[in-house]
Amino acid sequence: MNSNELFQKSLKYVPGGVHSPVRSFKGLHTTPRFINRGKGAYIWDEDGKNYIDFCMSFGPLIHGHQDPEIKEAIIKALENGWTFGACEKYSLETAEYIVNRISFIEQIRFMSSGTEAVMTAVRLARGITGRSKIIKFNGCYHGHLDAMLIKAGSGLAGTAEASSKGVTSHQADDTLICELGDIEEVKKIFIDHKDQIAAIFIEPLPANNGLLIQTNEFLKALRDICDQNCALLVFDEVISGFRIGFGGMAEKTGITPDLVTYGKIIGGGMPVGAVAGPKKFMEFLAPLGPVYQAGTLSGNPVAMAAGLVNLKKLTDEAYIKLNTQTTKVVAVMKEWMDKNGFEDYQTIQYGSLFWPISTHDKLSNITQLPKNMNERFYSLFKVMLEKGIYLAPNAYEVGFGSLALEDQVIEDLKQRLWN
Ligand SMILES: *Cc1c(COP(=O)(O)O)cnc(C)c1O
């Protein structure tokens, strides 16, 4: 069966045919490709067509598909069994490896997804501070937990409402929404909700509604305001962690959060999430502390073995290569786009993340996004797909560079674009 037939069949058995909504190619006027295989920088679909992959499973595969050392680690771990629900050495070694390399982290707890990590961080922040409200920014994504499926309300300023059915208004009341970059709004919220705010949650490099780069001053101001109000600053580094350097944006900006959440890269393509921070906060978690958190498959040995080797391969040289090769990709794409009807586009890049967007304006919050971006993205995505270039299938998703982008892949990209 080809991709189209498989998708038609999938629609019968699975809601919308997919197990995560962005995979549905909604609004892209074509059916999703069923992927059969990946190797290095490439994926192959069930129709036998191959693509240069700039989605990389939405980030985790920083070394590309089937990295031989990660594969070997997975197989080796697998041969001893794949879950014990008990202590094992891979997660200990990974914890030690991370704690020894990221200065503000003294302890880490592993779980199985980014959503779980943020969910734990929300509960932990509330448990530590004894307060119930959290601040979230418009345009940041933190996974699909109820507390984060909240958007700015259509009524009075400062009100919020659920962005998904099934989330109660009670939950919406506890999440306060601000616009990225607007420190005055954050200050006002702290005054209006004095001694009620447990934490500010932010993607320090917002990369889930396009790439909305924030200034260091803004992040620093959030740090200060949290300190002044005894609230916690939580960096959600599920995308940026181990990508913008090993220590993510915390390391890059020198601004230290109280808690950090990880996912995606941390598992090297296997399901892993984590919450980390100083011991004084992490010890609030069960079994030591009063904040409950658990997981049958947490610290899964196969996943941790993959994650550990994956992290060990992220040397200083690896980051230089990652950023250099991504910059080359962006340049090649820009040249082609400028001469082929996409002059209205710019590509915003930060390290190995890039985002083609149909405006030349500077963008730092979601109110600035161009109105026609979905239609414009559809045109770009369609041509790219035909040419064997796989972009993340949504206008709001960034492109992910990887260490599989060798020079010959970039040559191939040129060929595919210009032919
Ligand atoms: C992907 C993502 C999540 C959710 O992680 P899942 O593993 O998909 O549950 C949370 N926060 C950020 C910043 C993300 O990019």
Side-chain angles (χ1 to χ4, degrees):
M1 275 198 251
N2 65 25
S3 283
N4 191 31
E5 290 159 347
L6 288 163
F7 187 62
Q8 297 316 320
K9 188 173 175 183
S10 196
L11 284 170
K12 183 175 168 202
Y13 294 108
V14 178
V18 293
H19 298 283
S20 192
V22 73
R23 296 180 196 170
S24 69
F25 281 34
K26 200 175 167 192
L28 295 175
H29 311 288
T30 177
T31 49
R33 299 302 180 267
F34 270 65
I35 306 304
N36 163 291
R37 186 165 78 88
K39 181 89 191 161
Y42 295 87
I43 47 175
W44 284 259
D45 67 16
E46 291 286 351
D47 312 12
K49 187 173 162 75
N50 69 33
Y51 306 85
I52 302 179
D53 184 9
F54 290 111
C55 180
M56 285 294 168
S57 193
F58 294 95
L61 299 176
I62 197 163
H63 300 287
H65 295 271
Q66 289 199 56
D67 175 86
E69 289 167 274
I70 299 176
K71 189 173 178 177
E72 195 192 315
I74 291 173
I75 294 169
K76 192 166 160 249
L78 203 60
E79 279 172 349
N80 287 326
W82 38 94
T83 181
F84 309 114
C87 298
E88 45 67 54
K89 281 204 299 196
Y90 293 111
S91 49
L92 171 58
E93 232 190 289
T94 312
E96 185 183 17
Y97 193 82
I98 292 170
V99 168
N100 286 340
R101 273 161 191 80
I102 302 181
S103 59
F104 69 94
I105 297 180
E106 290 171 348
Q107 292 196 327
I108 188 162
R109 170 70 58 87
F110 293 119
M111 43 215 78
S112 301
S113 73
T115 294
E116 242 188 298
V118 174
M119 189 179 79
T120 302
V122 170
R123 190 180 306 129
L124 187 53
R126 287 173 172 160
I128 292 167
T129 58
R131 300 170 177 180
S132 51
K133 295 191 188 298
I134 58 169
I135 291 181
K136 167 191 187 290
F137 293 93
N138 241 341
C140 286
Y141 176 71
H142 300 288
H144 66 99
L145 55 151
D146 288 355
M148 291 298 186
L149 293 179
I150 311 289
K151 60 179 182 190
S154 47
L156 295 170
T159 58
E161 58 189 58
S163 61
S164 162
K165 283 275 182 265
V167 175
T168 64
S169 56
H170 196 77
Q171 276 155 330
D173 287 346
D174 276 340
T175 301
L176 306 160
I177 304 290
C178 290
E179 215 61 70
L180 280 164
D182 190 347
I183 197 66
E184 292 312 315
E185 197 182 6
V186 179
K187 283 183 184 160
K188 184 171 181 305
I189 285 192
F190 269 95
I191 293 168
D192 291 352
H193 302 272
K194 197 168 164 41
D195 298 333
Q196 294 174 55
I197 295 167
I200 296 180
F201 280 74
I202 188 168
E203 284 180 83
L205 179 61
N208 275 291
N209 262 272
L211 194 55
L212 302 171
I213 301 167
Q214 300 302 301
T215 61
N216 268 22
E217 292 70 55
F218 178 62
L219 296 175
K220 177 70 173 55
L222 295 180
R223 176 68 278 175
D224 293 343
I225 215 167
C226 284
D227 290 342
Q228 288 152 14
N229 291 278
C230 300
L232 303 189
L233 178 63
V234 184
F235 277 2
D236 181 356
E237 300 230 45
V238 170
I239 283 190
S240 53
F242 312 104
R243 178 172 288 279
I244 308 306
F246 196 87
M249 289 300 281
E251 178 185 84
K252 171 99 183 178
T253 59
I255 297 162
T256 305
D258 296 300
L259 293 172
V260 63
T261 53
Y262 295 123
K264 300 195 170 102
I265 291 176
I266 199 171
M270 300 295 262
V272 181
V275 179
K279 210 168 160 198
K280 65 174 180 194
F281 294 143
M282 293 302 289
E283 285 191 342
F284 271 82
L285 286 175
L288 279 182
V291 177
Y292 193 68
Q293 189 278 330
T296 303
L297 295 174
S298 289
N300 173 268
V302 179
M304 297 313 303
L308 179 59
V309 173
N310 172 68
L311 294 180
K312 283 186 173 170
K313 287 167 68 81
L314 291 171
T315 58
D316 291 348
E317 299 80 70
Y319 286 111
I320 293 167
K321 176 178 169 188
L322 182 64
N323 296 346
T324 310
Q325 298 304 89
T326 307
T327 303
K328 288 184 197 170
V329 165
V330 169
V332 167
M333 283 194 180
K334 177 176 166 41
E335 194 184 351
W336 184 84
M337 283 160 74
D338 282 351
K339 297 202 174 89
N340 288 276
F342 297 98
E343 306 78 4
D344 54 330
Y345 267 82
Q346 66 178 322
T347 299
I348 299 174
Q349 186 194 349
Y350 194 101
S352 57
L353 296 173
F354 64 94
W355 183 47
I357 174 69
S358 52
T359 175
H360 292 280
D361 294 350
K362 196 166 180 295
L363 302 173
S364 58
N365 73 47
I366 59 166
T367 67
Q368 301 157 341
L369 302 184
K371 296 279 173 291
N372 65 346
M373 62 182 276
N374 286 316
E375 293 134 66
R376 286 300 290 141
F377 179 74
Y378 160 59
S379 319
L380 179 71
F381 180 80
K382 182 167 173 272
V383 205
M384 292 288 180
L385 198 70
E386 278 162 10
K387 289 178 174 295
I389 299 162
Y390 191 91
L391 300 175
N394 185 291
Y396 297 89
E397 298 288 345
V398 295
F400 295 90
S402 77
L403 286 154
L405 293 170
E406 302 292 351
D407 282 342
Q408 71 259 29
V409 178
I410 292 166
E411 256 329 292
D412 185 23
L413 174 66
K414 268 188 216 162
Q415 295 292 325
R416 286 174 190 234
L417 282 170
W418 289 96
N419 283 340

